[in-house]
Amino acid sequence: MILTGLCLTFLVFTLTNLYPNLEKLAKTQGNFRMSDAEVTSYLEKNGYLQPMFVKYGEWLGVLPSYRHENADGTIQGRCIRPGTSPEEAPNFCGILQGNWGFSTVFKDEVGSIISTRLGLTGKLMFWVMVVMVPSALILGVLAGMREGSKTDRGLSTIAITTTATPEYVSGVILIAIFASSAAGLKWFKGTATSAMESANFENFALPVITIALYGMGYIARMTRASMAEVMTAQYIRTARLKGVSFPNIVMKHALRNALIAPFTVIMLQFPWLLNGVVIVETLFNYKGFGWTLVQAAGNNDIELLLGVSVVSVFVVLITQLISDIGYVYLNPRISVS
Amino acid sequence: MEPLNWFEIITRVFIQFIPVWVALVVVFTLSMVYKRRLGLYGKLFDSTIGMIGFALVMFWVFTGIFGAMDLIITHDPLSQVSGMKNKAPGTPLAGAEEGYYPYYLFGGDNLARDVFSRMVKGAWVVVQIAPMATVFAFMVGITLGLPAGYYGGKLDTFLSFLANLILAFPVILLFYLLVTPEIVDTGIPNYMAMVLFIFPIIFVGVLLNSRYRTQPKVRTPMLIVVLGIMGWLYLSLISQPGTALKLLPDAVDLFNLQGGILVVFVSVVFVNSPTVFRIVRGLTMDIKTRDYVAAAQTRGERPWYIMLWEILPNARGPLIVDFCLRIGYTTILLGTLGFFGLGLPPESPDWGTTINDGRRLLQVYLHPAIVPAVALLSMVLGLNLLADGLREESLRD
């Protein structure tokens, strides 16, 4: 997993530090009429022209960081902040030392930007989970309880429809129905910008529902499939013959075994949800993590984009790990030793 | 002229779609008549859900094809008509000249273009890219997944590691890293195209070679002809004037994809193939323990013959179902790319771009965003229903 993480971050690092990106960075930081020689000298000064592996090592914080001696004898480098002398500055300053770099768009430390934005997105994700998981499980269990019945047909069609609706479609439709001033019901607000300080039902409902809908259908279908499978198992038949009531069978006998598969699916949904978050935050103008990703990528903010990528890649890897561990704990057939 | 009311709009839209209705009726009548002789495709017409899905999908396929032939559209999707900016559906054209269609059926967008025609043209973008990209993703996934599942060991570990690597990326991040103009300038998408598009050639080559290996007289000319044609197509596909890869002179270069399409195509194939790889690998690992595989091994068949002619045909059920779902997913991905303005040119009529244009004024004008949104929704829904119908019918026997 650490190897995967290293490979992924190196890949992102390489792609963001390609020469055209650096050239654009030099021009946005300096001025747009820089000559090629000026661009080269700017990049040289900031240590962007070293070999890729060296730069990666410095960024990670395992190699001593680059220092450049200017013509007038002053020394500048990544670790040397304005106001500190080169002798006091630490040798290593990469993400391992907690130095994530400086964002050129937001003019702020990348670390602090990411933590505030992650907080905002965390709030969104929390409510998405609160809405999505229980409703998906209820939907799936109800549909899978009696396979082939009318309820099953109806609920499955709903589940298929929600999986077929990407966020940018359902978001647009929901805004049109509930928020537009032209023809809509005007129950909710079409933007969630105000939800960043104080989230309430009116400004937060639509983004949450939009993300939850897309993920819900998929989880519900998985739950339905595993519920239907469990309901045909021998021990359920035994319980029925014994005379246990139907609700009791579902709640006490079937549910736990039926929830193993959906659990892994819910955890593996995180990468998808991250997608949804990016789309929904752009659509509703909620300035969270996904919105930051779009801004960083759109404005060639290399260090911020790197930070965002590292965080999102690690979120994905950690959820994969949790899903593996959780699978073992939930499944009585695999013993924890 | 008076604006049209909703009933008149629906009637006129219905009339515009007449070529599509005709084609749909022909397809359905033929399939219903011969359904007992058409295998799995014929059985699809036994399930209502499958039929609804198939109808929706074919509706958009025909719309795309006829739209590309300029049959359905009422106006040029790029031309702007003054005074039609953000006009409601059914507004008559101000000062319409002779020979122009007198109404904007679904209204005008924020640049005074016809929403209806753009929706129809957008179907063509999807119909062009989505199925082909999915086919390519399947070729890559199958060519790598079969040996990974069959041989196992180090090869499997390595390939699975690579697949997990790509899968651990959030898709949007990957798009932002691959499809920005700076990266396109370095030619990375072209090199990726070079790698990804070679897999169909390998696949077909190995497929034919393993089948006809014992008959060199048939095999050699066949391979030369097939690989020659595919190689030529391959080279003309990847060589683009003005990019890092310019392999063929213009005289032999058969076609050039227009701006952005190649990049979009490559990134969509790249995102989809690891999932296909995982599915194929899993299926292969399951099927390789069956008796008929053991029988083929005892017979002395070569590994590739077993993989391609014994295992692959037996894995077709889940693969066909996944193929339909994946086209839908690819359509969603294309929309996502358009929504973020990546890859395709900004005036492109594809649904994602149109939704993105329309959403800015969504509070006031609904139609420019709602029309493509509903179109995309119905197409993906159709593909999902079709996959569901296929799954049910293939499980039945």
Side-chain angles (χ1 to χ4, degrees):
Chain A
M1 193 185 126
I2 291 172
L3 183 66
T4 320
L6 282 179
C7 280
L8 283 174
T9 46
F10 181 67
L11 215 66
V12 178
F13 191 84
T14 319
L15 282 172
T16 45
N17 275 281
L18 286 172
Y19 193 75
N21 285 334
L22 294 177
E23 193 180 335
K24 202 171 151 197
L25 176 79
K27 286 188 176 167
T28 41
Q29 289 304 298
N31 65 64
F32 279 97
R33 268 173 256 134
M34 271 169 133
S35 66
D36 286 353
E38 281 170 326
V39 169
T40 319
S41 89
Y42 172 85
L43 293 179
E44 167 84 52
K45 252 203 254 177
N46 289 290
Y48 283 120
L49 293 181
Q50 306 167 82
M52 196 60 84
F53 277 103
V54 178
K55 273 194 289 184
Y56 178 66
E58 286 171 9
W59 173 78
L60 205 59
V62 290
L63 288 178
S65 103
Y66 182 81
R67 290 176 176 216
H68 182 84
E69 196 163 335
N70 288 337
D72 55 358
T74 54
I75 298 175
Q76 69 170 60
R78 221 177 105 94
C79 299
I80 306 162
R81 304 273 177 81
T84 51
S85 71
E87 291 77 30
E88 294 166 14
N91 259 331
F92 299 90
C93 54
I95 54 167
L96 291 180
Q97 282 81 27
N99 186 340
W100 290 72
F102 193 79
S103 158
T104 55
V105 174
F106 296 101
K107 308 283 177 219
D108 199 358
E109 291 287 321
V110 170
S112 69
I113 297 177
I114 288 184
S115 54
T116 33
R117 302 301 184 193
L118 262 184
L120 287 172
T121 296
K123 191 162 78 174
L124 181 62
M125 291 294 260
F126 172 74
W127 287 108
V128 168
M129 284 294 169
V130 165
V131 173
M132 179 176 79
V133 175
S135 52
L137 291 183
I138 291 171
L139 211 69
V141 169
L142 282 180
M145 216 159 58
R146 290 199 178 89
E147 202 189 357
S149 64
K150 278 229 173 74
T151 349
D152 179 25
R153 290 267 166 207
L155 292 178
S156 296
T157 315
I158 294 174
I160 291 179
T161 316
T162 62
T163 41
T165 322
E167 290 90 349
Y168 50 90
V169 170
S170 53
V172 161
I173 293 176
L174 285 174
I175 293 181
I177 295 175
F178 293 114
S180 80
S181 48
L185 299 167
K186 283 190 253 180
W187 287 356
F188 305 118
K189 280 191 183 150
T191 70
T193 319
S194 55
M196 287 189 296
E197 281 91 38
S198 61
N200 54 35
F201 190 64
E202 195 191 12
N203 55 23
F204 218 41
L206 281 185
V208 170
I209 293 173
T210 308
I211 305 181
L213 266 184
Y214 187 51
M216 194 178 77
Y218 191 60
I219 300 177
R221 291 181 79 181
M222 286 292 150
T223 319
R224 176 191 169 270
S226 85
M227 189 70 194
E229 199 189 317
V230 169
M231 288 306 279
T232 58
Q234 296 283 342
Y235 64 89
I236 298 291
R237 195 164 53 172
T238 315
R240 286 203 102 164
L241 292 175
K242 217 165 67 180
V244 183
S245 70
F246 192 72
N248 241 336
I249 291 180
V250 174
M251 294 306 289
K252 287 197 178 146
H253 297 254
L255 210 55
R256 178 171 165 176
N257 279 307
L259 288 185
I260 297 169
F263 174 76
T264 40
V265 172
I266 291 171
M267 288 327 273
L268 294 178
Q269 277 275 305
F270 264 97
W272 288 166
L273 284 182
L274 218 56
N275 260 337
V277 164
V278 177
I279 294 172
V280 165
E281 285 182 358
T282 316
L283 188 62
F284 289 94
N285 204 15
Y286 182 77
K287 298 188 171 79
F289 188 69
W291 183 84
T292 316
L293 192 156
V294 173
Q295 292 301 316
N299 295 311
N300 194 38
D301 191 341
I302 293 179
E303 304 218 301
L304 183 59
L305 184 57
L306 266 172
V308 170
S309 315
V310 170
V311 171
S312 54
V313 161
F314 268 93
V315 167
V316 173
L317 290 178
I318 287 168
T319 51
Q320 280 179 357
L321 191 72
I322 295 178
S323 103
D324 285 351
I325 296 172
Y327 187 77
V328 172
Y329 270 97
L330 273 178
N331 195 341
R333 271 162 288 191
I334 301 175
S335 62
V336 191
S337 54
Chain B
M1 276 189 290
E2 288 292 303
L4 301 173
N5 62 30
W6 280 107
F7 178 72
E8 283 166 330
I9 293 177
I10 291 167
T11 324
R12 279 176 179 265
V13 168
F14 187 84
I15 293 170
Q16 279 311 116
F17 274 118
I18 278 180
V20 178
W21 305 129
V22 172
L24 272 181
V25 168
V26 169
V27 167
F28 266 78
T29 333
L30 283 180
S31 320
M32 288 299 239
V33 172
Y34 296 107
K35 79 175 173 189
R36 290 288 156 246
R37 284 192 246 161
L38 289 170
L40 182 61
Y41 169 74
K43 276 200 218 121
L44 190 64
F45 290 87
D46 289 337
S47 98
T48 325
I49 286 190
M51 256 163 56
I52 296 173
F54 186 70
L56 277 173
V57 173
M58 289 320 280
F59 172 79
W60 285 114
V61 170
F62 286 130
T63 305
I65 294 172
F66 291 133
M69 300 191 311
D70 289 346
L71 273 180
I72 302 172
I73 54 170
T74 51
H75 296 90
D76 181 63
L78 292 181
S79 71
Q80 306 173 341
V81 178
S82 65
M84 293 306 287
K85 188 174 163 188
N86 290 326
K87 280 289 183 304
T91 311
L93 228 56
E97 292 165 37
E98 198 65 24
Y100 274 90
Y101 196 81
Y103 296 98
Y104 267 11
L105 286 175
F106 286 165
D109 65 4
N110 60 344
L111 290 173
R113 297 169 299 195
D114 183 26
V115 173
F116 177 74
S117 306
R118 286 178 71 75
M119 176 199 75
V120 172
K121 279 283 181 189
W124 177 235
V125 178
V126 173
V127 171
Q128 251 180 323
I129 301 182
M132 273 314 278
T134 317
V135 168
F136 273 75
F138 263 76
M139 292 284 179
V140 177
I142 289 173
T143 320
L144 295 175
L146 280 175
Y150 187 77
Y151 291 117
K154 286 227 174 68
L155 180 77
D156 182 26
T157 319
F158 175 69
L159 288 176
S160 299
F161 178 73
L162 278 188
N164 287 339
L165 211 62
I166 302 172
L167 284 176
F169 267 113
V171 179
I172 288 184
L173 181 61
L174 208 60
F175 282 155
Y176 260 115
L177 291 176
L178 287 178
V179 197
T180 50
E182 289 82 36
I183 306 264
V184 173
D185 283 343
T186 60
I188 286 180
N190 293 76
Y191 291 112
M192 281 172 57
M194 199 169 77
V195 176
L196 288 175
F197 293 170
I198 208 157
F199 280 99
I201 303 186
I202 299 177
F203 178 76
V204 173
V206 177
L207 187 78
L208 292 176
N209 186 39
S210 61
R211 186 81 172 94
Y212 296 103
R213 202 178 57 87
T214 47
Q215 300 150 268
K217 269 191 193 145
V218 186
R219 177 197 66 170
T220 318
M222 195 190 227
L223 272 185
I224 289 174
V225 171
V226 170
L227 291 188
I229 293 174
M230 289 187 77
W232 192 11
L233 286 176
Y234 168 73
L235 286 175
S236 28
L237 186 62
I238 59 165
S239 79
Q240 295 269 81
T243 54
L245 281 176
K246 180 83 186 80
L247 303 175
L248 288 182
D250 285 332
V252 263
D253 201 344
L254 288 177
F255 48 86
N256 283 311
L257 294 176
Q258 46 173 316
I261 290 214
L262 183 79
V263 180
V264 169
F265 196 87
V266 170
S267 46
V268 172
V269 173
F270 186 70
V271 168
N272 269 321
S273 38
T275 330
V276 182
F277 164 82
R278 292 238 290 220
I279 295 169
V280 174
R281 173 177 164 271
L283 285 170
T284 313
M285 282 162 81
D286 176 27
I287 294 177
K288 116 183 139 168
T289 55
R290 303 284 165 87
D291 285 345
Y292 50 82
V293 174
Q297 281 164 339
T298 327
R299 247 186 0 249
E301 301 285 7
R302 293 302 188 89
W304 276 104
Y305 179 86
I306 298 176
M307 282 183 236
L308 289 169
W309 293 95
E310 302 277 352
I311 293 178
L312 189 58
N314 286 298
R316 69 181 185 281
L319 286 184
I320 291 173
V321 171
D322 185 67
F323 186 75
C324 289
L325 286 176
R326 202 146 291 283
I327 296 180
Y329 182 58
T330 311
T331 313
I332 293 180
L333 283 183
L334 287 176
T336 313
L337 277 171
F339 184 76
F340 286 105
L342 294 167
L344 293 161
E347 77 281 358
S348 149
D350 74 291
W351 295 334
T353 314
T354 339
I355 293 174
N356 188 29
D357 283 345
R359 78 178 166 91
R360 288 163 223 259
L361 288 171
L362 197 57
Q363 297 282 352
V364 201
Y365 304 110
L366 298 178
H367 55 277
I370 285 286
V371 170
V374 171
L376 197 141
L377 168 64
S378 63
M379 171 144 187
V380 181
L381 181 64
L383 283 161
N384 277 311
L385 291 178
L386 179 63
D388 222 50
L390 280 174
R391 181 185 299 139
E392 241 168 57
E393 292 304 317
S394 68
L395 281 180
R396 197 164 283 178
D397 49 31

